[in-house]
Amino acid sequence: MFSTVRIIGAGLLGASLGLRLQLSGSQIDLEDASPVAVALARDLGAGQVAGPDSATPELVIVAVPPDVTAQLVCQALDRFPQALVIDVASVKEKIAEQVADHPQAARYLGCHPMAGRERSGAIAADADLFEGRPWVICPRPENRKEDISRIQNLAIEVGSVPRIMPAAEHDEAVALVSHVPQLASSLVAGALRDASEDQLALAGQGLRDTTRIAHSDASLWASIAAGNCARIAPIMRQISAEAATLAQAMEASTDDPVTGPAALAVAKVVAAGNEGVNRIPGKHGGAPRRYATVTVLVPDKPGQLGRLFGDAGEIGVNIEDLRMEHSLNQKVGRVDLSVVPARADFLAHGLEARGWQVILEEGTQ
């Protein structure tokens, strides 16, 4: 454990780390270019605002957008000559190259906790944000083994699963599993700008799921994407080419709904999607796991969700995942609870006994 930690950047990741590390007894001092942001993080309990009398940190965490990360890392290496300095930006190779010429670069370790939300800023901070998520560490030859080990322990301390990975390999991976999905979601959401109110009134959970992360901060994502363009562009071109092929098949469609070119092209795309989504790791990074879905109809009244979760807790079944759906003008919402199949019937019967309307169906995570 690091007894004194300086966090530079009081946004979502910085404030969340402050909240979590304080639980382990670390003293957290916060810095941010925005006095309002750092005051908000302080008021939320993420640490105290750093000042001239603040303790000398053992660890400095730079939690700012990628386009200014290298500059602040180098400044931290100068300001705190005894401290280990890490960053948590979502691109790694370019930052490592920019820091490499600093005479104290051996005290810097690039990191990326694979955790985030579509909301930004300290107001969205959560001490459990890193729970079960990968924490990538990108060491370089000059890094000391004991420093790498300490950051691995830090990752475990905040609930993450540490992974060692070269910076270039990391950037290639996140382009595929993080950066392109964000841009794809934003592209789909952007197509809604000219939709009529009547069209949008038909929107269901599928559209909400697809566009959830389109709420993300535009300036932050501009910085992220700019730092990883070389890896993002080929994937976007591949998706664009496949979309163009699908569109061409639809334009050449015949009246045959089964063997026509559109039907075959759509079937191919959806089947490929099924294959890909089945490869996404399950909970805590483990192998994909099949869950049963217990669907509960929840009245649209205050306190009903709290009562549902309280009842599930009393029944003693762990909820592995959940999703909620509420359609316009309906008096009830739908909550899908994902549970281990062996416990699904037990949960369903327990909820029914407590007055809930339950539908039991098989599903996969």
Side-chain angles (χ1 to χ4, degrees), residues 217-242:
D217 184 88
S219 60
L220 173 61
W221 272 99
S223 174
I224 292 171
N228 206 23
C229 285
R231 273 88 175 194
I232 295 171
I235 304 170
M236 294 295 293
R237 289 195 179 279
Q238 177 187 346
I239 294 172
S240 177
E242 292 176 0

Side-chain angles (χ1 to χ4, degrees), residues 55-232:
T56 301
E58 291 182 67
L59 174 69
V60 177
I61 302 175
V62 177
V64 297
D67 57 335
V68 294
T69 294
Q71 175 187 351
L72 291 179
V73 165
C74 290
Q75 290 178 5
L77 291 170
D78 291 333
R79 293 170 59 199
F80 308 108
Q82 304 302 318
L84 180 60
V85 179
I86 68 172
D87 80 286
V88 292
S90 59
V91 293
K92 297 269 69 87
E93 188 174 36
K94 184 173 289 188
I95 294 170
E97 291 172 351
Q98 293 171 336
V99 176
D101 291 335
H102 192 283
Q104 295 295 317
R107 288 191 289 112
Y108 161 69
L109 260 175
C111 297
H112 181 203
M114 296 295 297
R117 304 176 69 179
E118 66 274 16
R119 298 170 61 200
S120 60
I123 193 64
D126 186 346
D128 294 328
L129 184 68
F130 310 98
E131 195 69 39
R133 304 302 305 152
W135 180 297
V136 182
I137 303 170
C138 301
R140 291 166 298 116
E142 60 266 36
N143 291 130
R144 300 190 310 166
K145 290 183 178 180
E146 51 265 43
D147 288 340
I148 298 171
S149 178
R150 293 190 78 187
I151 298 305
Q152 287 177 306
N153 290 334
L154 174 77
I156 294 170
E157 189 177 319
V158 301
S160 294
V161 181
R163 292 180 62 95
I164 302 294
M165 185 178 290
E169 185 178 327
H170 163 275
D171 287 0
E172 183 176 357
V174 295
L176 179 62
V177 303
S178 176
H179 302 168
V180 168
Q182 170 65 55
L183 297 174
S185 177
S186 295
L187 285 168
V188 172
L192 304 175
R193 288 174 296 175
D194 298 324
S196 69
E197 294 299 322
D198 287 341
Q199 289 173 320
L200 293 174
L202 303 181
Q205 195 61 36
L207 181 64
R208 294 185 180 93
D209 288 345
T210 304
T211 59
R212 178 183 61 82
I213 58 174
H215 284 289
S216 298
D217 184 88
S219 60
L220 173 61
W221 272 99
S223 174
I224 292 171
N228 206 23
C229 285
R231 273 88 175 194
I232 295 171

Side-chain angles (χ1 to χ4, degrees), residues 203-205 208 298-301 324-335:
Q205 195 61 36
R208 294 185 180 93
V298 180
D300 187 11
K301 298 177 182 178
M324 295 183 289
E325 180 176 355
H326 188 271
S327 298
L328 191 65
N329 297 324
Q330 286 192 351
K331 295 182 179 180
V332 296
R334 168 181 170 143
V335 178

